[in-house]
Amino acid sequence: MRPVKLAFPLLCDDSNYFSLMFTTDYFAEIIERGISDIVYPAKPAGLFAPIRYTLEGGGKRLRPVLLLASAEAFGCNPEVALPQAVGIEMFHNFTLLHDDVMDNADVRRGRPTVHRRWNSSTAILSGDAMLTMATQFMADCDKSLMPDVMAMFNKTAMEIYMGQQYDMDFEHRDDVTVDEYLEMIRLKTSVLLACACRIGAMLAGADEKSADAMYRYGELLGLAFQLQDDYLDTYGDPALFGKEIGGDIINEKKTWLWINAMAEARERMEKILDRKLTDYLKVKEIKEVYDSLDLPARSHELITRYTDMAINALSEAGIPAEARAFFTSLAGKSVSRSH
């Protein structure tokens, strides 16, 4: 079964294609068409309906946009990389299905999570199916490229599972350091953005130095992105963020904000926690600690630093000015995004 129907050949031809149509809307349109063209088996509906529900829920599509943009930056028709773009988005959403079960989350992108709309068993099994489908999409490329593409994809998948385990381990520790946290989010979040950039470059035939530069860009962008995500979980607008605000505080997750607050104001933090406050008051008083330590501003300084490093990494990629401007703009938005 061919899950995505393409009207273009499965080989890049640098001599015949180089459009440089670098806008997010351009790449998003290709991705949405690819997702809408997925052919699901009719039965069992209980396995595939949650997958369709999840992918139709939208999202930023950041990872597939990075993959298609990286392919085009090196002269490849992005349609050629569409199976891999769909695959990386499906893999990302597979991780979200399982994360929501582990975190007992109620809302994702403004809608009930799969385990709430159906049940946890369905979320786990449909997530498993998404992982297999993502692998099938990823392998749907030129045979000469498939071993390297799959090696990159599988390495990334294992790193993400390691990052998730570290995140779970942190729940039972009160001595997590900032460096440990940054390594955890690098594994759990950053490497998938980096993988998207590198696979797009690989599909276009980029040399090793250029592919490495794109990987580094995605990795640094991912650090900035996750730090902003953690900030928004506490300080964002729930109508824009798409899920409950303050969830990280309620669940006492070891975020950059939490770790620094515990390091610099442990006694005050522990007094708040010992009072067994309602969720509303707990979030309110912990935020007051964050504010008193100037953590929101300090967090944004770190986000800006990683964003600048990501942009600087592009200088080694050897991509056209139009492409570099696109990736620079995309990185800048991670500093100011509201959802």
Side-chain angles (χ1 to χ4, degrees), residues 16-269:
N16 293 333
Y17 184 83
F18 202 75
S19 73
L20 288 176
M21 295 177 63
F22 276 96
T23 68
T24 301
D25 289 344
Y26 165 64
F27 295 118
E29 182 180 350
I30 297 172
I31 293 158
E32 295 303 332
R33 176 165 49 79
I35 289 172
S36 67
D37 282 349
I38 296 173
V39 179
Y40 298 97
K43 298 179 181 180
L47 179 65
F48 297 105
I51 299 175
R52 184 181 289 107
Y53 171 82
T54 299
L55 290 174
E56 289 177 352
K60 303 172 190 68
R61 310 296 194 207
L62 176 59
R63 293 146 192 88
V65 165
L66 285 170
L67 196 150
L68 294 185
S70 293
E72 182 152 344
F74 292 99
C76 184
N77 187 328
E79 298 276 356
V80 173
L82 182 54
Q84 289 69 43
V86 172
I88 211 157
E89 180 69 0
M90 185 166 282
F91 178 85
H92 171 59
N93 280 272
F94 138 72
T95 66
L96 299 182
L97 255 68
H98 284 192
D99 282 359
D100 286 341
V101 173
M102 287 184 273
D103 294 342
N104 199 31
D106 294 328
V107 178
R108 170 73 66 180
R109 296 168 182 158
R111 305 190 307 166
T113 52
V114 168
H115 75 100
R116 284 285 178 253
R117 175 159 177 175
W118 283 273
N119 53 60
S120 294
S121 296
T122 296
I124 292 169
L125 186 59
S126 292
D128 292 345
M130 291 181 82
L131 172 58
T132 300
M133 292 176 72
T135 303
Q136 291 172 330
F137 279 113
M138 197 60 63
D140 186 13
C141 61
D142 182 71
K143 290 181 180 179
S144 67
L145 299 173
M146 187 173 67
D148 288 341
V149 168
M150 292 308 300
M152 182 74 257
F153 176 69
N154 288 328
K155 174 180 178 290
T156 301
M158 287 303 301
E159 289 177 327
I160 291 168
Y161 307 150
M162 291 164 62
Q164 177 64 20
Q165 184 62 56
Y166 283 133
D167 196 16
M168 293 166 59
D169 291 345
F170 290 174
E171 294 175 9
H172 309 291
R173 291 177 51 193
D174 61 4
D175 61 346
V176 179
T177 67
V178 169
D179 285 345
E180 287 179 305
Y181 170 75
L182 292 173
E183 174 61 6
M184 182 273 288
I185 65 171
R186 186 189 73 82
L187 291 168
K188 186 176 176 180
T189 300
S190 295
V191 296
L192 191 57
L193 276 68
C195 175
C197 291
R198 187 176 181 88
I199 286 178
M202 291 166 64
L203 292 170
D207 60 41
E208 195 70 14
K209 179 182 177 183
S210 296
D212 284 347
M214 292 307 301
Y215 185 93
R216 185 66 176 153
Y217 165 83
E219 186 178 42
L220 291 162
L221 175 63
L223 289 169
F225 185 91
Q226 186 58 54
L227 286 164
Q228 179 70 356
D229 214 50
D230 291 347
Y231 169 84
L232 290 173
D233 188 274
T234 298
Y235 290 97
D237 180 345
L240 297 174
F241 196 46
K243 59 182 178 181
E244 178 186 20
I245 294 298
D248 285 348
I249 291 176
I250 293 167
N251 295 313
E252 300 180 18
K253 291 203 66 154
K254 308 305 190 299
T255 64
W256 187 91
L257 295 165
W258 182 278
I259 292 167
N260 278 284
M262 290 298 288
E264 299 172 25
R266 179 175 289 273
E267 184 176 351
R268 185 177 172 190
M269 290 282 286

Side-chain angles (χ1 to χ4, degrees), residues 299-338:
S299 173
H300 273 286
E301 288 176 3
L302 185 59
I303 292 166
T304 300
R305 190 184 317 156
Y306 280 124
T307 301
D308 290 344
M309 292 169 65
I311 292 168
N312 289 338
L314 295 170
S315 63
E316 299 294 320
I319 54 178
E322 294 89 340
R324 186 168 177 176
F326 172 83
F327 288 115
T328 298
S329 174
L330 195 64
K333 290 175 183 176
S334 67
V335 179
S336 58
R337 68 186 178 91
S338 58

